[in-house]
């Protein structure tokens, strides 16, 4: 059960979430605070600002999550009511260096068959003065569905080390049946025509599936792919809450 710490968070430069760090936790925390280790973890949950106001990062679209009813404008257009409920967002994490995302590109803007694939690339640069590891999180939004769709879903993640001043291109290959389907009332993954928004860091791009609706018999739901964004050798701290080593 989370403690409500907004009074502390407002006065703190950073707050570290260590979870159950085990016997090596003290060393990990000390190395982060002293600057010996550069934190790189990402918060794996949202954290409430008020008691009883817990909202998962992939909550459904509703009047509390959007300032405007047009989902195509993106979930960033959230109203004051929703913003006031969360202390910090899923995937946040501070570092002793800084990163810049730029140049998000899609290999196509329209997919026309269930077997189609789309490649997305983005350039991430370490704009700080020391080396660090950045976990790149790719989120997809299905803008309209017969069943209300979450505001976003994590679909791919990858962590790489970047030296100070170094930049690197990250890629995400979108598979239509793996990444654009969702289970219907019978639990069968279904595919629908419509617009999707891909978000990574500060970048966003829209594309469209226009290959006709279909469904397949499968017992497993699509899962995110990629390297673990936080590990024993990487830690995180954010302005509010964060993963430690």
């Amino acid at each position: 059960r989370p403690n409500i710490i907004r009074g502390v968070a407002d006065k703190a430069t950073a707050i570290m979430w260590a979870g159950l760090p085990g016997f090596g936790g003290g060393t990990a925390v000390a190395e982060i605070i002293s600057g010996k280790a550069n934190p790189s973890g990402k918060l794996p949950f949202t954290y409430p600002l008020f008691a009883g106001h817990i909202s998962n990062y992939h909550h459904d679209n509703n009047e509390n999550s959007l300032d405007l009813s047009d989902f195509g404008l993106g979930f960033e257009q959230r109203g004051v009511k929703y913003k006031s409920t969360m202390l910090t967002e899923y995937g946040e994490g501070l570092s002793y260096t800084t990163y810049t995302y730029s140049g998000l590109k899609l290999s196509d803007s329209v997919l026309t068959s269930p077997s189609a694939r789309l490649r997305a690339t983005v350039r991430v640069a370490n704009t700080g003065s020391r080396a660090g590891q950045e976990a790149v999180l790719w989120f997809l939004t299905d803008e309209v569905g017969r069943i209300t769709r979450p505001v976003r879903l994590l679909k791919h993640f990858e962590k790489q080390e970047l030296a100070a001043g170094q930049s690197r291109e990250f890629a995400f290959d979108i598979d239509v049946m793996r990444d654009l389907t969702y289970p219907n009332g019978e639990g069968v993954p279904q595919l629908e025509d419509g617009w999707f928004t891909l978000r990574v860091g500060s970048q966003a791009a829209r594309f469209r599936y226009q290959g006709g609706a279909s469904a397949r018999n499968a017992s497993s739901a699509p899962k995110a792919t990629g390297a673990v964004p936080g590990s024993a050798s990487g830690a995180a701290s954010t302005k509010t809450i964060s993963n430690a080593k």
Side-chain angles (χ1 to χ4, degrees):
R1 178 179 298 178
N3 294 315
I4 303 304
I5 58 171
R6 63 180 181 276
V8 175
D10 290 341
K11 302 173 183 177
T13 301
I15 297 175
M16 185 186 304
W17 179 76
L20 297 173
F23 293 108
T27 300
V29 171
E31 289 181 351
I32 292 172
I33 293 175
S34 66
K36 181 178 181 180
N38 190 5
S40 62
K42 301 290 186 179
L43 194 67
F45 49 76
T46 56
Y47 202 92
L49 188 60
F50 299 101
H53 290 79
I54 298 176
S55 179
N56 294 327
Y57 91 95
H58 62 328
H59 62 83
D60 288 343
N61 169 32
N62 56 53
E63 66 274 13
N64 294 337
S65 63
L66 290 175
D67 190 25
L68 302 175
S69 60
D70 184 358
F71 203 104
L73 293 177
F75 74 92
E76 300 96 332
Q77 304 274 352
R78 292 173 293 188
V80 175
K81 184 177 181 181
Y82 176 79
K83 289 182 179 179
S84 69
T85 63
M86 301 311 300
L87 181 65
T88 188
E89 293 287 354
Y90 176 96
E92 288 187 1
L94 290 180
S95 170
Y96 287 125
T97 189
T98 55
Y99 302 95
T100 300
Y101 289 67
S102 63
L104 175 60
K105 296 179 182 179
L106 304 180
S107 60
D108 206 340
S109 60
V110 180
L111 301 175
T112 57
S113 84
S115 60
R117 296 177 69 91
L118 182 151
R119 186 172 180 84
T121 58
V122 69
R123 182 157 291 276
V124 180
N126 182 343
T127 54
S129 59
R130 62 182 291 179
Q133 297 183 69
E134 174 67 347
V136 177
L137 311 181
W138 299 81
F139 295 93
L140 265 178
T141 297
D142 185 348
E143 297 181 5
V144 178
R146 288 188 177 92
I147 300 174
T148 302
R149 306 306 305 130
V151 293
R152 60 175 179 165
L153 284 173
L154 177 66
K155 288 293 184 175
H156 182 67
F157 46 94
E158 180 182 0
K159 175 184 277 190
Q160 295 288 342
E161 183 164 0
L162 297 171
Q166 181 184 7
S167 66
R168 180 175 295 174
E169 186 177 87
F170 290 77
F172 170 31
D173 291 315
I174 297 174
D175 179 281
V176 169
M177 293 305 295
R178 182 192 67 199
D179 299 314
L180 306 187
T181 59
Y182 67 92
N184 60 19
E186 287 71 44
V188 177
Q190 65 180 20
L191 178 64
E192 299 173 340
D193 286 348
W195 286 94
F196 295 81
T197 299
L198 177 67
R199 294 180 175 86
V200 56
S202 60
Q203 304 287 291
R206 296 177 78 207
F207 64 92
R208 187 175 184 179
Y209 175 72
Q210 195 173 325
S214 65
R216 63 175 180 176
N217 292 320
S219 58
S220 60
K223 298 180 180 179
T225 60
V228 178
S231 66
S233 60
S237 61
T238 72
K239 175 64 177 69
T240 48
I241 297 290
S242 181
N243 275 329
K245 271 188 175 180

